[in-house]
Amino acid sequence: MTRFLWDKFSKDYLETFLASCGDVKTSLDVTAETQEIDVYFRPTSPKIPPELGLLGKLAQTPCLLEPYRNPVMIEGILACLSKLFTVREQLQREAHRHQQPLLAENIPRLWILTPTASQRIITAFSALNHPDWGEGIYFLAPALSRWVELNIK
């Protein structure tokens, strides 16, 4: 109950202070358009064939694979993140329905496969190369690094 009181209070408070400066809408519904994930993979075998190389390494955990033919742009990365967060929300709702926690290992990683990415893109997302993964594999900022990687080969 307290959460709902705080929610109402904070919305009313923000609306009161912002109303004189612009248009304020509270409790605005957000309806997303249908999005399509290129590949959603969940391993069913504990052993991925070594012949798959880097793809096998990527596929050791549940993952979303988003391949790009041309260099990925900021808007493309944001669209991929939106898909990932939508999947995560669906998994969270399912876990809640079954009264279970959503385990980190069940949340898919997002692998954005792009032939190249500009330094501007890498900098814009604070992407960092991880020495265990080799050249061309970038992980996003720490808050996202559990789930999102740029694969530039």
Side-chain angles (χ1 to χ4, degrees), residues 9-153:
F9 168 77
S10 61
K11 289 175 188 176
D12 290 346
Y13 184 83
L14 293 170
E15 182 178 25
T16 299
F17 284 100
L18 294 174
S20 64
C21 306
D23 184 29
V24 181
K25 294 180 179 162
T26 60
S27 302
L28 183 65
D29 288 335
V30 177
T31 55
E33 66 180 58
T34 301
Q35 296 176 312
E36 187 174 285
I37 295 167
D38 288 340
V39 177
Y40 186 171
F41 176 76
R42 292 183 354 176
T44 56
S45 171
K47 186 165 177 152
I48 303 291
E51 299 82 38
L52 291 179
L54 179 59
L55 178 59
K57 191 172 180 179
L58 302 179
Q60 289 182 359
T61 62
C63 60
L64 308 181
L65 299 164
E66 292 288 341
Y68 282 80
R69 181 175 55 100
N70 295 313
V72 68
M73 304 304 283
I74 288 175
E75 295 78 17
I77 295 172
L78 294 174
C80 290
L81 287 169
S82 177
K83 294 175 194 181
L84 173 67
F85 295 144
T86 298
V87 169
R88 185 187 184 287
E89 288 169 7
Q90 289 172 346
L91 293 171
Q92 183 66 56
R93 284 191 297 272
E94 185 178 323
H96 184 73
R97 272 195 305 275
H98 293 97
Q99 298 178 344
Q100 298 175 341
L102 176 58
L103 303 175
E105 60 264 19
N106 292 333
I107 300 170
R109 293 187 107 162
L110 170 61
W111 291 103
I112 300 173
L113 311 173
T114 182
T116 187
S118 68
Q119 188 60 48
R120 183 178 75 85
I121 296 279
I122 292 168
T123 302
F125 286 95
S126 299
L128 299 171
N129 184 258
H130 193 285
D132 293 343
W133 283 83
E135 189 177 337
I137 309 295
Y138 290 86
F139 293 78
L140 296 191
L144 296 172
S145 65
R146 165 62 186 101
W147 302 304
V148 186
E149 292 76 38
L150 281 174
N151 180 5
I152 304 165
K153 282 291 180 178

